[in-house]
């Protein structure tokens, strides 16, 4: 079964693109767009498995969150460099300038994002497991769960339990850990949304000044 959806593309000619090859501002904009792509990927993974309580669903949901924090942390590093090129634009001043100076965002970057990114999202530091194992206190310890006979249904629960306990290691009470983790999910989710809004606004503001054109139409896609 197929359905038609609205389709649009922003494009330019080879001749016009050749003028951009050495444009530092354009390269910076591409870097920003790359960060947004990574964040959107994590968003979709979270939505696709929302409410899925199977082992695979739990694995996908938690790791989508973890990778989203890593992507957001790297995205903020990109955002830190934008003022030099776009700082005078209203789209920057009303977007990233406010976001980067927000005290809650600063605290999020200093704590959760830095801890996640540096220790267990893009780098799998062995000391995370070693340190957490010394104090990990659970009613019982679940190494893995799974459904069916295929490997994609397997979830190594304990590995991610280690990660969450490391992230919240300064909060000893189990009930408080659960509350703080839900709060972290909410804080990161809001930051992800705000980041994408700022990026989309800046890109939409800058692109029309070039030779980019918009083409719209419909596209047929297969749906299950």
């Amino acid at each position: 079964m197929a359905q038609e959806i609205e389709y649009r593309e922003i494009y330019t000619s080879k001749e016009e693109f050749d003028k951009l090859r050495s444009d530092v501002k354009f390269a910076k904009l591409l870097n920003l767009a790359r960060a947004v792509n990574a964040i959107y990927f994590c968003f979709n993974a979270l939505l696709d498995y929302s409410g899925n309580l199977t082992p695979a669903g739990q694995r996908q949901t938690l790791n989508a969150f973890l990778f989203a924090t890593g992507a957001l942390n790297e995205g903020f590093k990109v955002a830190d460099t934008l003022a030099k090129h776009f700082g005078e634009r209203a789209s920057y001043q009303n977007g990233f300038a406010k976001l980067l100076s927000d005290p809650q965002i600063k605290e999020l970057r200093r704590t959760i994002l830095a801890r996640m990114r540096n220790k267990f999202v893009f780098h799998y530091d062995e000391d995370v497991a070693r340190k957490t194992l010394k104090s990990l206190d659970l009613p019982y310890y679940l190494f893995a769960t799974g459904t069916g006979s295929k490997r994609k249904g397997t979830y190594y629960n304990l590995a991610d339990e280690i990660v969450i306990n490391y992230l919240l290691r300064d909060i000893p009470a189990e009930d408080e850990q659960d509350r703080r983790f839900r709060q972290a999910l909410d804080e990161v989710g809001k930051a992800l949304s705000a980041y994408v809004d700022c990026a989309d606004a800046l890109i939409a503001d800058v692109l029309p000044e070039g030779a980019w054109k918009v083409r719209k139409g419909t596209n047929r896609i297969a749906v299950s």
Side-chain angles (χ1 to χ4, degrees):
M1 179 179 177
Q3 70 178 32
E4 289 190 348
I5 62 169
E6 181 183 338
Y7 173 79
R8 64 186 180 277
E9 60 185 23
I10 301 172
Y11 71 101
T12 193
S13 66
K14 184 179 184 305
E15 290 75 20
E16 291 295 336
F17 187 78
D18 284 342
K19 300 175 184 177
L20 297 171
R21 294 184 187 278
S22 59
D23 187 327
V24 176
K25 287 186 178 181
F26 182 61
K28 186 64 64 178
L29 211 63
L30 285 175
N31 209 25
L32 176 61
R34 176 68 195 102
V36 173
N37 279 346
I39 290 171
Y40 273 138
F41 171 82
C42 296
F43 263 148
N44 281 354
L46 281 168
L47 292 174
D48 288 346
Y49 286 87
S50 177
N52 187 328
L53 299 181
T54 66
Q58 294 178 58
R59 179 195 66 213
Q60 298 300 98
T61 299
L62 179 57
N63 281 274
F65 166 70
L66 295 177
F67 278 94
T69 63
L72 182 60
N73 187 70
E74 296 304 298
F76 274 128
K77 290 181 180 180
V78 174
D80 288 337
T81 69
L82 297 175
K84 177 180 178 181
H85 303 287
F86 308 108
E88 296 182 356
R89 308 183 77 98
S91 57
Y92 176 85
Q93 295 168 8
N94 295 326
F96 277 120
K98 293 182 178 180
L99 185 64
L100 294 173
S101 62
D102 186 310
Q104 291 183 330
I105 293 296
K106 288 184 176 181
E107 180 67 8
L108 184 68
R109 294 183 67 183
R110 187 186 68 80
T111 55
I112 293 175
L113 297 190
R115 190 178 294 181
M116 283 184 162
R117 193 275 177 207
N118 292 334
K119 287 295 184 180
F120 42 74
V121 177
F122 298 144
H123 301 95
Y124 305 120
D125 284 9
E126 191 175 319
D127 66 339
V128 170
R130 287 180 176 175
K131 290 179 180 179
T132 308
L133 283 171
K134 294 177 180 179
S135 59
L136 188 64
D137 184 16
L138 302 174
Y140 63 94
Y141 300 87
L142 189 64
F143 189 86
T145 54
T147 56
S149 59
K150 296 183 179 180
R151 285 181 293 176
K152 67 180 182 180
T154 299
Y155 178 34
Y156 292 113
N157 305 65
L158 188 57
D160 284 349
E161 186 70 50
I162 290 286
V163 164
I164 297 306
N165 276 266
Y166 184 89
L167 172 65
L168 304 177
R169 65 184 185 272
D170 300 327
I171 307 173
E174 185 176 344
D175 290 345
E176 180 63 10
Q177 281 190 354
D178 184 61
R179 184 200 66 79
R180 185 64 185 94
F181 182 62
R182 290 197 303 270
Q183 181 181 337
L185 281 170
D186 183 62
E187 291 174 357
V188 171
K190 289 178 179 177
L192 287 167
S193 181
Y195 186 96
V196 169
D197 287 345
C198 292
D200 285 346
L202 181 61
I203 292 171
D205 180 38
V206 174
L207 275 186
E209 295 181 357
W212 299 94
K213 301 175 183 178
V214 178
R215 183 159 49 202
K216 297 182 179 181
T218 58
N219 191 21
R220 293 181 64 81
I221 62 168
V223 294
S224 57

